Amino acid sequence: MLTLAILIALALLLYTYAGYPLTLATLTRLSRRHARPYSATGDQLPMVSVLLSVHNGAAFLPSKIDSLLNQDYPPERIEILIYSDGSTDNTEAVARALAAEASSGGRIRIVCADGRRGKPTGLNVLCALARGDLLVLNDVRQPFARNAVRALAEAMADPHVGCATGNLVVAGETGSGLYWRYENWIRQQESAFRGLVGMTGPIAMVRRADLAPIPDDVILDDVWIPMRLTLEGKRVTFVADAKAYDTAFDDEREFRRKVRTLAGNYQLFARMPGLMVPSINPIWFETVSHKLLRLAAPWLLLGLACASAVEAILPAESHNTLIQALVLAQLAFYSTAALGRRAKQLGGAARTFVVLNAAALVGLWGFLTGRQRVTWQITR
């Protein structure tokens, strides 16, 4: 029984991190989709509203607004709406100065909240003010490539697409940077198969008609919005040419970010139980493999470690050679993770893997106790 438990935990972990991506790549090759190009130009292009909810983002606003004002998109067909969510720095002053510049052409509008409300509230407020048929959902820290808005709008020409999400390009060779490139590859495969599980929060687009009011306590609006559209039968597609740019976090900051993200995933499944029902969720296989098993992974790792430790202290005659090798492999892996960057790239990747799974445990505690707040904090 002990050996069986070890093998089951090992098999599920291998499937979660290697088997699912390989299975997905195979399915993608067998059912390759071809995106329909959007051919409209000039006045035929849809009006676009950029919804930018900001808290203490003064340092990032100039580069972000500059990237939006210089999009390869008709200037009269794009507006920028900024919601300052109780900012205590000079976000409001910087935003108003940018709006007053001649280059903005009156395309920037600003709403200021007296206190912290959270991004969902900010999006709801801005959505009510938006004039565009298409809404760009994004964050202040990541500037866009010049063609980003046009590329997203082209993808939205397909009526079956409910959300087009862009390509976040993360610079840096930290463990979290390597992890994001692995994650981004999986998202591309999901998009080519049947659709993404979620969207990339810093760069995405939806139709204004499809964006229902978001509950003000939702932690992950960037998963809530696309998964609600998925349950309505619409696809979430990945647009590789629509790029936004960021820098990878170190493990300490990535841990704090992932605690919030994973608490939000627990909340998502609690609020949307239909995601776990195959007859309701058209991408049930992807949802379970990509999201649910990732939440189970830290428990599988703990179970594997505990069962292996028990196996290791059993009388010598009862030892299984395969299990002994597995015990040694775990010791080597966690030792490498403890060394971190001192063990070069492999150590950094191992440490990030451990950090992210530890974040899932802390995130569960935050969700169960209600301590995970909807508000967020920008970090460099």
Side-chain angles (χ1 to χ4, degrees):
M1 290 296 293
L2 186 62
T3 300
L4 180 62
I6 290 173
L7 293 177
I8 290 174
L10 181 62
L12 287 172
L13 286 166
L14 288 175
Y15 170 76
T16 300
Y17 292 105
Y20 171 60
L22 292 175
T23 300
L24 192 60
T26 302
L27 293 171
T28 297
R29 285 179 177 272
L30 295 175
S31 60
R32 179 69 65 178
R33 292 177 179 267
H34 298 283
R36 187 182 70 174
Y38 187 62
S39 58
T41 58
D43 292 339
Q44 293 179 311
L45 284 168
M47 179 71 183
V48 170
S49 297
V50 179
L51 311 188
L52 187 57
S53 187
V54 183
H55 171 72
N56 287 355
F60 302 95
L61 264 175
S63 61
K64 182 56 181 272
I65 297 303
D66 182 67
S67 76
L68 293 173
L69 291 176
N70 288 287
Q71 285 294 301
D72 178 21
Y73 204 84
E76 70 278 5
R77 308 297 293 169
I78 182 170
E79 65 173 357
I80 303 167
L81 306 180
I82 301 173
Y83 177 89
S84 177
D85 187 31
S87 297
T88 55
D89 65 352
N90 60 335
T91 289
E92 182 180 346
V94 171
R96 295 197 184 283
L98 292 169
E101 290 180 3
S103 60
S104 70
R107 289 187 286 152
I108 301 176
R109 288 187 283 162
I110 302 163
V111 178
C112 297
D114 294 334
R116 295 295 301 276
R117 302 288 188 274
K119 188 177 178 182
T121 297
L123 292 178
N124 289 334
V125 169
L126 296 181
C127 183
L129 298 174
R131 295 177 294 165
D133 299 314
L134 299 177
L135 306 178
V136 175
L137 310 177
N138 63 134
D139 294 328
V140 71
R141 199 178 63 245
Q142 300 88 0
F144 284 5
R146 190 169 183 270
N147 67 322
V149 171
R150 181 181 288 271
L152 292 173
E154 289 173 353
M156 293 299 296
D158 184 343
H160 300 292
V161 171
C163 174
T165 187
N167 183 6
L168 182 62
V169 180
V170 177
E173 293 302 319
T174 64
S176 62
L178 294 174
Y179 172 81
W180 177 250
R181 287 189 275 280
Y182 160 81
E183 180 72 16
N184 223 24
W185 182 84
I186 292 177
R187 294 183 180 211
Q188 293 180 55
Q189 304 308 307
E190 288 178 342
S191 176
F193 181 42
R194 294 192 301 191
L196 273 73
V197 185
M199 69 185 189
T200 304
I203 178 166
M205 180 179 282
V206 299
R207 295 179 185 85
R208 179 161 55 95
D210 289 337
L211 187 59
I214 309 165
D216 59 11
D217 63 340
V218 163
I219 298 170
L220 290 184
D221 56 275
D222 54 357
V223 184
W224 175 276
I225 293 169
M227 294 314 293
R228 189 187 62 78
L229 292 171
T230 295
L231 293 180
E232 293 175 0
K234 297 179 180 178
R235 292 185 67 245
V236 180
T237 191
F238 181 88
V239 184
D241 290 338
K243 296 178 180 179
Y245 301 97
D246 204 353
T247 302
F249 285 170
D250 58 35
D251 283 334
E252 180 181 350
R253 286 184 293 177
E254 185 66 11
F255 175 80
R256 295 197 299 268
R257 188 186 73 83
K258 289 299 289 186
V259 166
R260 181 177 183 274
T261 297
L262 293 165
N265 281 331
Y266 287 114
Q267 182 193 59
L268 180 77
F269 284 108
R271 297 280 187 90
M272 291 186 178
L275 292 174
M276 294 180 281
V277 181
S279 61
I280 296 177
N281 184 359
I283 56 169
W284 175 85
F285 164 68
E286 295 91 324
T287 303
V288 171
S289 299
H290 194 167
K291 293 295 185 182
L292 201 58
L293 286 178
R294 293 277 186 93
L295 296 178
W299 303 103
L300 293 171
L301 288 167
L302 284 173
L304 183 63
C306 292
S308 300
V310 171
E311 171 71 21
I313 63 175
L314 288 175
E317 60 271 13
S318 66
H319 285 176
N320 180 301
T321 304
L322 177 62
I323 303 301
Q324 286 181 311
L326 181 59
V327 170
L328 293 175
Q330 289 179 84
L331 287 173
F333 175 79
Y334 289 115
S335 297
T336 303
L339 290 171
R341 298 296 290 178
R342 287 173 292 175
K344 299 184 179 179
Q345 195 171 66
L346 180 61
R351 187 173 190 271
T352 297
F353 178 83
V354 173
V355 165
L356 296 183
N357 278 283
L361 298 176
V362 179
L364 176 60
W365 176 253
F367 166 66
L368 292 176
T369 59
R371 294 183 179 181
Q372 183 59 58
R373 297 182 297 175
V374 67
T375 53
W376 77 105
Q377 181 66 47
I378 292 178
T379 53
R380 284 188 176 275

